[in-house]
Amino acid sequence: MCRPTTWLLGGLFGLMWVIPVLMTPTTLAQCKSLKTLETKLTDRRRNFKHNFPINYTIKVHYEEIFKLCNISRLRVRVVDLEEGDLQDVWLLVNQEVLKRILRVLPERHPSYKYTSDLEDLFRKIQQVFPPQSDEREPPERIEEIYNRVKEPNSKGWRFVTPKSLLDNCYRTMHCLFKNCFPSEDGEQDYCSALHWRKGRKRQLQET
Ligand SMILES: *[C@@H]1O[C@H](CO)[C@@H](O)[C@H](O)[C@H]1NC(C)=O
Ligand SMILES: *[C@@H]1O[C@H](CO)[C@@H](O)[C@H](O)[C@H]1NC(C)=O
């Protein structure tokens, strides 16, 4: 869990990134695939909470917990970080998360099809996000995340609920691809934890 002081500070610094974020070009095809995922994810409560035993958790790498506070922290701490780096981390981490959930589901489990549909959607999203140019290596911290996620013998494990992992996926998607999710109520700060606070109207509909 990110400590409150860290993310508060991170949130403040995060604001400084609003401008570069807006300039990141996201193509129509990319937004279309992300919106399909968004729609699919509105069903995550039923599939990842109601269909599971109460408080059921799965074991994931530390790095597979990728939340808003991780994004703001990386933005503050990593020099040379590009939005594309964070988007790549998001893609990788969430594909790993889905693999982990599928691994504990028998094929006849009521959430099996839903989870493998999500996996397919991610594969489609991957196709519309071309790999970053070969000339640029991602910052070291980002490489480290890639390596840790792929390390089968990692020592850093945490137990979390599948629903919380998909909530992270949903929120960070809005933060990292905000121009695909314009809102009628004007500019939304999807990267701020406050935006997702319980009690808000949209939150009630979604969780
Ligand atoms: C589930 O977790 C909540 C919050 O930690 C706890 O209050 C509750 O007793 C747990 N329920 C079961 C059945 O373990
Ligand atoms: C996000 O933050 C948590 C808590 O500090 C940490 O365990 C995890 O590794 C971070 N995830 C990434 C992808 O950096």
Side-chain angles (χ1 to χ4, degrees), residues 1-3 61-67 69-70 73-74 89 93 141 145 148-149 158:
M1 219 148 297
C2 296
R3 270 175 275 125
H61 282 135
Y62 280 157
E63 286 73 24
E64 281 153 6
I65 302 175
F66 185 56
K67 310 203 280 190
C69 58
N70 295 98
R73 209 165 29 184
L74 289 170
V89 170
V93 162
R141 176 74 189 99
I145 295 177
R148 296 246 187 105
V149 167
R158 290 259 304 272

Side-chain angles (χ1 to χ4, degrees):
M1 219 148 297
C2 296
R3 270 175 275 125
T5 43
T6 328
W7 70 246
L8 252 184
L9 193 68
L12 284 177
F13 280 104
L15 286 179
M16 288 152 61
W17 286 82
V18 168
I19 295 165
V21 168
L22 290 178
M23 293 184 329
T24 311
T26 318
T27 66
L28 269 179
Q30 290 171 341
C31 282
K32 198 165 161 252
S33 62
L34 291 166
K35 284 221 169 101
T36 311
L37 177 67
E38 185 201 28
T39 309
K40 189 86 181 170
L41 282 175
T42 51
D43 231 5
R44 65 190 185 279
R45 187 181 176 83
R46 181 162 58 87
N47 281 286
F48 292 132
K49 187 165 180 182
H50 299 169
N51 288 351
F52 282 92
I54 293 170
N55 293 353
Y56 178 82
T57 54
I58 60 170
K59 190 169 95 165
V60 299
H61 282 135
Y62 280 157
E63 286 73 24
E64 281 153 6
I65 302 175
F66 185 56
K67 310 203 280 190
L68 294 173
C69 58
N70 295 98
I71 293 178
S72 41
R73 209 165 29 184
L74 289 170
R75 280 175 177 165
V76 173
R77 294 196 186 159
V78 182
V79 250
D80 297 340
L81 183 75
E82 291 181 6
E83 273 305 287
D85 296 326
L86 291 172
Q87 294 172 347
D88 287 349
V89 170
W90 179 84
L91 273 166
L92 173 73
V93 162
N94 285 296
Q95 290 182 87
E96 291 301 314
V97 159
L98 289 170
K99 271 191 224 156
R100 289 198 187 283
I101 299 177
L102 270 182
R103 225 173 276 159
V104 300
L105 295 181
E107 261 175 60
R108 292 192 180 192
H109 188 279
S111 299
Y112 186 89
K113 174 149 192 321
Y114 178 79
T115 315
S116 60
D117 286 351
L118 284 177
E119 239 195 351
D120 286 342
L121 285 178
F122 264 96
R123 243 170 257 133
K124 289 193 181 120
I125 294 169
Q126 185 99 67
Q127 283 163 13
V128 289
F129 281 87
Q132 304 235 59
S133 94
D134 295 333
E135 283 147 43
R136 182 177 165 278
E137 294 210 340
E140 213 174 302
R141 176 74 189 99
I142 300 293
E143 292 265 25
E144 217 176 277
I145 295 177
Y146 288 158
N147 295 338
R148 296 246 187 105
V149 167
K150 299 215 165 113
E151 168 63 59
N153 301 317
S154 149
K155 291 198 181 79
W157 298 101
R158 290 259 304 272
F159 285 88
V160 287
T161 65
K163 160 89 169 26
S164 70
L165 292 168
L166 272 298
D167 285 346
N168 294 343
C169 170
Y170 187 85
R171 294 169 189 186
T172 49
M173 168 176 75
H174 282 78
C175 169
L176 293 174
F177 305 94
K178 58 176 75 185
N179 45 355
C180 293
F181 304 102
S183 145
E184 289 124 38
D185 332 330
E187 177 85 4
Q188 299 288 321
D189 189 5
Y190 295 124
C191 295
S192 147
L194 281 177
H195 176 86
W196 304 100
R197 269 277 161 82
K198 284 216 160 67
R200 288 183 62 114
K201 225 191 314 167
R202 55 176 300 135
Q203 178 75 12
L204 286 178
Q205 289 159 0
E206 279 160 7
T207 57

